[in-house]
Amino acid sequence: MSVRTELPETRVETPRRRRTLPPLLVHALAAAGALAVVVALTLVTDEFTNLRIATIGYYLVAVAGLTLLTGLTGQVSLGHGAFMFIGAYTVALLVRRVPSFPLWADLLLASAAGGLAGLLAGAAAARLRGPYLAGATLALAVGLPALTRRFPDFLGGSNGLSFTVHSRPAGVTVPELRWQTWIVWLSVLLALVLVANVVRGRLGRDFRAVRDDEVAAAVSGIAVGRTKILAFLVSAVCGGLAGGLQAFLLGTAAPGSFTPALSLSLLAAVVLGGLGSLWGALWGAVALVCFQAWSEDLADVLHLNTDVANNLPLAVYGVILIVVVLAFPRGIQGGFQWLRAHLKPSRRAEGEK
């Protein structure tokens, strides 16, 4: 006689997965929050501060594009100011010659013009690397502004092109500069949402793979040359948009605003903020604007002559860049991450006590 015993059923509970929002929606919500912060800041500050906030905005999108190119794919560009030059002059020419176009169309065409230039530069960059790539892009930054002297009737010569954009709708009583600051940041945040999705997506993973090891990336099926070209394309679109926003804000496009020093400053901002981080692009853009403003104030206090005062911002920025890189090799964002990592154990220890 056999006795049949039944074992009690045991339920294996599987951990529930948290429902996460799509990355695009997360980035859009973050951008909406950031826009609200910017609007609040402009409401409690004067016009000069509003101008600085707007300047941080268009520098941010330029530095973010360069961060994607240099930090994610490892391609060093010393000519990013050339894409800003193309975007600025595209907006200036469209406003002067086709005034019926709306502002959003001008900015889109400025981004497209920068992207086209980046596509051509990227095709050459796919065959170059290291100092050869840096030299080729630097030649682009030096050569493009010289076209204004070659075609003075079309590009305005050394004085550039001046224009006026009436972007404020009728009946809106907001000051013109404040309204322009909102337009700049709305455009910047929309662009950053797209860049953030590129970084988080498959294309961003391809960029990192090419940066880490081109041979391994090619073996795994990644088209290395095409990936490099796409990185230049996205980065140049951001540069063209930044230049277009600068021209819209200042009402002028002049070659003196797009010297090789601008390209070097953008690259320094990438390193200072933190390579490969969009948060680092923000810190780099803030530093780029604030250090220049502080240097100008210092030059006024010390009553320095014009030549010294003009070069003082670059000198101060260079010194601060060296100090930050020596203290935090991964830039300002890397310093924040280091502090957060070292503060977490102490908080846990306090909780255990």
Side-chain angles (χ1 to χ4, degrees):
M1 182 176 178
S2 61
V3 179
R4 184 178 179 183
T5 59
E6 294 183 358
L7 296 175
E9 294 183 0
T10 57
R11 292 183 180 180
V12 179
E13 294 185 359
T14 57
R16 286 186 175 183
R17 292 185 178 180
R18 292 183 178 179
R19 293 183 178 180
T20 57
L21 297 175
L24 180 61
L25 181 58
V26 172
H27 297 150
L29 292 174
L35 183 61
V37 172
V38 170
V39 170
L41 285 175
T42 57
L43 292 174
V44 297
T45 53
D46 57 7
E47 286 194 355
F48 186 67
T49 306
N50 286 349
L51 178 61
R52 287 183 176 178
I53 292 173
T55 304
I56 291 173
Y58 66 73
Y59 274 143
L60 169 58
V61 71
V63 176
L66 190 55
T67 294
L68 185 145
L69 180 66
T70 302
L72 291 187
T73 61
Q75 300 182 88
V76 179
S77 172
L78 298 180
H80 220 62
F83 303 128
M84 291 184 64
F85 169 89
I86 292 173
Y89 271 86
T90 299
V91 168
L93 290 171
L94 287 172
V95 172
R96 290 168 64 97
R97 298 178 180 272
V98 194
S100 60
F101 271 25
L103 176 62
W104 62 265
D106 294 340
L107 294 175
L108 280 179
L109 289 173
S111 303
L116 179 60
L119 195 63
L120 298 176
R127 297 171 175 81
L128 300 172
R129 63 181 62 186
Y132 303 103
L133 174 59
T137 53
L138 180 61
L140 186 66
V142 173
L144 270 183
L147 292 177
T148 58
R149 295 190 295 272
R150 180 68 178 82
F151 304 100
D153 295 335
F154 183 63
L155 299 176
S158 300
N159 295 326
L161 300 174
S162 299
F163 56 93
T164 302
V165 179
H166 299 289
S167 60
R168 186 176 53 180
V172 176
T173 58
V174 176
E176 184 69 26
L177 184 56
R178 184 175 297 166
W179 176 262
Q180 289 177 324
T181 303
W182 295 352
I183 294 297
V184 167
W185 270 95
L186 176 62
S187 305
V188 168
L189 290 171
L190 288 175
L192 288 180
V193 168
L194 299 178
V195 172
N197 279 274
V198 169
V199 171
R200 289 281 300 273
R202 178 180 177 181
L203 188 56
R205 293 191 293 271
D206 291 348
F207 289 160
R208 296 183 187 91
V210 170
R211 176 197 62 191
D212 295 337
D213 193 327
E214 291 187 11
V215 176
V219 170
S220 63
I222 297 174
V224 175
R226 185 180 64 184
T227 302
K228 287 184 174 183
I229 294 174
L230 286 175
F232 251 99
L233 172 63
V234 176
S235 182
V237 166
C238 292
L241 176 61
L245 290 173
Q246 179 181 348
F248 158 70
L249 181 67
L250 302 179
T252 183
S257 301
F258 306 99
T259 61
L262 172 62
S263 300
L264 297 176
S265 297
L266 293 176
L267 183 60
V270 170
V271 178
L272 180 62
L275 280 172
S277 169
L278 293 181
W279 277 107
L282 174 61
W283 309 135
V286 171
L288 192 61
V289 175
C290 291
F291 291 158
Q292 183 175 0
W294 294 339
S295 301
E296 292 173 355
D297 295 339
L298 180 62
D300 292 337
V301 171
L302 298 177
H303 303 290
L304 301 177
N305 60 50
T306 305
D307 294 334
V308 177
N310 290 338
N311 293 304
L312 183 62
L314 291 176
V316 171
Y317 194 70
V319 171
I320 294 176
L321 175 64
I322 293 172
V323 172
V324 171
V325 170
L326 289 176
F328 302 104
R330 295 176 60 190
I332 297 175
Q333 180 63 15
F336 287 149
Q337 292 174 349
W338 181 86
L339 289 174
R340 184 174 59 185
H342 282 72
L343 288 176
K344 278 184 178 180
S346 62
R347 289 179 180 176
R348 289 176 183 174
E350 290 177 0
E352 292 175 358
K353 290 180 181 179

